[in-house]
Amino acid sequence: MESRHVEHLIIGFGKAGKTLAARIAKEGGHVTLVERDRNMYGGTCINIGCLPSKSLILDAYAADRQGAEPRQAFAEAMAAKTALTSKLRAANYRKLDVLDGVTMLDGTARFTGAHTVLVDGADGVQTVLEADRIYIDTGAKPRIPDIEGIRTTPGVYDSTGMLSLPAFPKRVVILGAGFIGLEFASMLADFGSEVHVLQRNDRVLPREDADMAEAILDMLKRQGVEVVTDAVVTRVSPGSGDHAGEGVSVRVDAEVNGAAAVFDADAVLVAAGRVPETADLDLAAAGIEADANGGIVVDDLLRTTDENVWAMGDCNGGPQHTYISLDDYRIVWSQISPDAPEYSRAQRRNVPSCVFLHVPYARVGLNERDAAEQGIAVQVHTLPTAAVPKAVVMRETEGLLKALTDPRTGRILGVTLLCPEAHEMINTAKVAMDLQVDAVYMRNAIFTHPTMTEAFNDLFA
Ligand SMILES: Cc1cc2nc3c(=O)[nH]c(=O)nc-3n(C[C@H](O)[C@H](O)[C@H](O)COP(=O)(O)OP(=O)(O)OC[C@H]3O[C@@H](n4cnc5c(N)ncnc54)[C@H](O)[C@@H]3O)c2cc1C
Ligand SMILES: NC(=O)c1ccc[n+]([C@@H]2O[C@H](COP(=O)([O-])OP(=O)(O)OC[C@H]3O[C@@H](n4cnc5c(N)ncnc54)[C@H](O)[C@@H]3O)[C@@H](O)[C@H]2O)c1
C-alpha cells in the first residue's frame, strides 16, 4: 500500500471538481483528483446527463419535423450521441492531464480518518492520501423506488440505461414526471414512441402557474404522451412478449385513482429523482455529517462539519444542475484564492432553469403562483408565442411568454417562457434581473430581428 501527503484532494471528476482542479493547477498549486470510473471522466453532465440527453432531444426534434422513420432516426441519433460523449470525455481528460499540477488517480475513494482517504485503485493498488484540504464532488445516483420487480425485470432502465437503449422502443412507460421524466417523454415521443408517464400523486409541475402547466401537458398530449396522475405502480414484471417493438416486453401494474391498471411497454424508465452519491465515502470515519438522503451537510460556504473539507455539486443535496455545481466551485475557490472576493450561497440569486421539451420551458424568478403565496403585488405581462414573428418563421407558434413586474418600480420580478429558444432567452432575462433593469428598458432595448429575444420588446410593452 502506497501512502502520500497531498495539498489539495478532489474526490469526483464532476463539473465543480474538474474546474477547481484546473484552477488550482493554473495558479501554481498541486492537486490530486480521484475518479472511480474511466467512463465518467468529465462527470455526469457530459457522459450520462445534460449533453447526451440534449443531443438526443435535438435529433428527435429534427426527426419529428422531417417525419423520419423512427427506427433509423433513433439508431442514428444514438450513434451520434455515443460519438459525442467519447469525444467530450477524451477532451475533458486531456484538459487536466496536460497540467503539471494535476495528478489523476483512477479509483474509489473513502475516508478512513479526518483528513485521510483510502483509494481503491482500478489497477488493484491501494493508496492512502493524507490531504490538507479535501473537496468532495461525487454527484448523485438514481433513486429507485421500492417496487416489486423494478430492479430485476429486463427492460427497466434508469436514465443512464435509457441513453444507451439497444433498439427503438415503440411503447415506453416512465415513472416520474420531473425533469428527466418529462424531457425523455418529449424526446421519445418526437422519435415516434407512444409514451405513458406515471406520476404517483396528482401534482404534475406543482410549482408552475396553471396556464403554463396546462399548455405543457397539452403539448405533450399532442406529441403522443399520456401523463397519468395518481398512478401508484405496484409491480413491474416481464410482459407476455406480445408487443410492437424489438427486444423485451415489460408489464407495469399500477393503481390509478384506486383502480387496477396495466401498462405494457418495450422499455420502462425510472425517473423518480436522484439522491446524493455518498454511501461509498464512509463519511462517518471523518466525522462528516450527512442528512437522511445522504446529502452532505454544508454551510453557506459549502464547508462540511469537518474543517478543511468542502462538498460541491449534487452530493451536498442542493439543486441538481451543472451550472449549480459550477457555481459551487466559485464559492469554494473564493475561499482558496487570496484574490477572489468572498462568495457564498446566500449571494446566489435569480437562478434560471429550463426543461428541454419539444418547445423548451424556462423560468427565472417569481411566477404568479409564488407571488400569490408570498402576497407580493405584481403586474402580469403576457404574450402568445404566435405573436412573435420569429416563431412564425420557425413554424413553432405554440406556447406563451409571461413576465411579472413590480407595479411601483417596473422592476422585473420573474420571467416564464414556453416558446422556441426559451432556454437561451431566459439567460437574457436573468441578466436583466441581476442588473435590476425595468420593464421600460426591456420594452425599448434594441434587439436583432427576427429573433425570439426581440419578443421582450412586446412582452414588456
Ligand atoms: C439524464 C440527465 C439529464 C440532465 N440534464 C441536465 C441539464 O440539461 N442541465 C443541467 O444543468 N443539469 C442536468 N442534469 C443534472 C447534472 O448533470 C448534474 O447536476 C451535474 O452533472 C452534477 O455534477 P457534479 O459536479 O455534482 O458531479 P458529477 O458530474 O455527477 O460527478 C461526480 C463524479 O464522482 C465520481 N465518484 C462518485 N463517488 C466516487 C468515489 N467514492 N470515489 C471516486 N469517484 C467517485 C463519479 O463517478 C462521477 O464521475 C442532468 C442529469 C441527468 C441524470
Ligand atoms: N434541464 C435540467 O436542468 C435537468 C434535466 C434533467 C435532470 N435534471 C436534474 O436531475 C435531477 C433528477 O431528475 P428526476 O426527474 O429524476 O427528478 P425530479 O425530482 O425532477 O422528479 C422526480 C419525479 O418523480 C416522482 N416520483 C417519485 N417516486 C415516484 C414513483 N414511485 N412513481 C411515480 N412517480 C414518482 C416525483 O413526484 C417527481 O415528480 C433533478 O433534480 C434535476 O435537477 C435537470
Side-chain angles (χ1 to χ4, degrees):
M1 189 183 303
E2 212 192 306
S3 185
R4 58 178 184 261
H5 170 262
V6 297
E7 196 182 343
H8 300 280
L9 171 62
I10 297 174
I11 305 175
F13 200 150
K15 184 69 181 175
K18 65 189 174 190
T19 315
L20 184 63
R23 190 71 191 261
I24 290 172
K26 282 178 186 162
E27 303 284 333
H30 290 273
V31 54
T32 296
L33 188 150
V34 186
E35 169 55 50
R36 66 176 176 190
D37 184 349
R38 288 193 170 123
N39 289 319
M40 287 292 285
Y41 288 155
T44 297
C45 172
I46 66 154
N47 292 294
I48 55 165
C50 330
L51 299 192
S53 62
K54 272 69 221 180
S55 172
L56 290 179
I57 286 168
L58 277 177
D59 284 349
Y61 178 86
D64 176 61
R65 302 242 351 194
Q66 291 155 12
E69 198 283 312
R71 279 184 180 74
Q72 193 184 340
F74 186 78
E76 285 173 8
M78 277 290 180
K81 178 239 43 164
T82 304
L84 174 77
T85 48
S86 40
K87 199 167 142 189
L88 291 168
R89 193 159 50 244
N92 268 253
Y93 186 80
R94 252 193 329 271
K95 243 182 175 171
L96 292 187
D97 196 39
V98 294
L99 297 172
D100 284 342
V102 180
T103 302
M104 292 205 265
L105 264 187
D106 289 321
T108 303
R110 78 182 143 87
F111 286 90
T112 51
H115 290 132
T116 321
V117 167
L118 177 76
V119 179
D120 275 318
D123 55 4
V125 175
Q126 288 194 322
T127 309
V128 176
L129 301 173
E130 181 106 29
D132 296 338
R133 291 171 163 191
I134 302 176
Y135 316 93
I136 308 171
D137 181 33
T138 49
K141 62 180 175 192
R143 190 181 76 78
I144 308 296
D146 199 10
I147 295 170
E148 185 186 339
I150 203 166
R151 290 177 186 274
T152 50
T153 306
V156 180
Y157 305 92
D158 59 19
S159 57
T160 305
M162 209 68 177
L163 285 170
S164 296
L165 265 192
F168 170 68
K170 184 82 188 81
R171 298 165 312 169
V172 179
V173 169
I174 297 178
L175 269 64
F179 274 88
I180 293 179
L182 293 183
E183 287 189 357
F184 275 69
S186 172
M187 177 262 284
L188 289 161
D190 272 355
F191 276 121
S193 302
E194 293 155 27
V195 183
H196 281 89
V197 178
L198 309 185
Q199 173 64 20
R200 67 177 163 183
N201 48 30
D202 61 353
R203 293 157 66 85
V204 175
L205 301 164
R207 298 298 319 155
E208 308 312 312
D209 286 346
D211 52 358
M212 288 289 178
E214 198 184 316
I216 291 168
L217 292 175
D218 282 353
M219 176 174 77
L220 286 165
K221 200 169 181 77
R222 275 196 296 282
Q223 287 176 265
V225 177
E226 190 78 40
V227 179
V228 185
T229 53
D230 278 320
V232 178
V233 175
T234 50
R235 185 166 177 253
V236 180
S237 57
S240 62
D242 170 24
H243 62 100
E246 294 162 26
V248 299
S249 91
V250 188
R251 173 187 163 123
V252 177
D253 284 86
E255 277 177 16
V256 179
N257 285 312
V262 175
F263 300 88
D264 294 311
D266 309 322
V268 172
L269 166 64
V270 182
R274 288 170 61 85
V275 290
E277 176 69 292
T278 55
D280 288 347
L281 286 171
D282 198 357
L283 294 167
I288 296 171
E289 268 177 42
D291 63 24
N293 279 328
I296 300 173
V297 174
V298 289
D299 64 12
D300 262 351
L301 292 170
L302 305 181
R303 292 177 302 207
T304 69
T305 46
D306 184 312
E307 209 185 338
N308 291 324
V309 180
W310 289 259
M312 315 178 289
D314 291 359
C315 70
N316 67 26
Q320 297 176 5
H321 301 283
T322 296
Y323 45 89
I324 295 294
S325 181
L326 178 63
D327 206 50
D328 282 0
Y329 142 76
R330 294 185 186 112
I331 290 171
V332 172
W333 178 248
S334 79
Q335 296 157 72
I336 301 174
S337 163
D339 305 326
E342 190 176 293
Y343 178 50
S344 78
R345 285 209 288 200
Q347 289 162 269
R348 200 176 263 167
R349 63 203 160 120
N350 303 325
V351 177
S353 67
C354 181
V355 194
F356 291 81
L357 302 174
H358 180 91
V359 173
Y361 176 65
R363 229 188 105 175
V364 62
L366 290 185
N367 63 8
E368 285 188 87
R369 183 184 291 265
D370 299 331
E373 272 176 18
Q374 295 169 35
I376 297 172
V378 292
Q379 184 178 347
V380 181
H381 313 251
T382 57
L383 183 74
T385 304
V388 185
K390 180 65 188 286
V392 178
V393 172
M394 293 168 84
R395 291 180 284 283
E396 281 284 7
T397 51
E398 209 168 349
L400 178 71
L401 295 79
K402 193 190 283 191
L404 306 188
T405 53
D406 183 326
R408 289 173 302 113
T409 62
R411 288 256 171 88
I412 305 165
L413 301 176
V415 175
T416 308
L417 306 169
L418 178 66
C419 63
E421 312 294 348
H423 51 294
E424 298 287 354
M425 295 168 74
I426 205 68
N427 295 322
T428 302
K430 183 253 185 315
V431 172
M433 288 176 67
D434 283 355
L435 299 179
Q436 303 193 343
V437 303
D438 59 15
V440 175
Y441 177 89
M442 294 300 273
R443 180 164 73 221
N444 295 331
I446 300 176
F447 294 123
T448 51
H449 170 79
T451 56
M452 287 304 298
T453 304
E454 67 177 333
F456 286 135
N457 288 162
D458 290 336
L459 178 61
F460 288 98

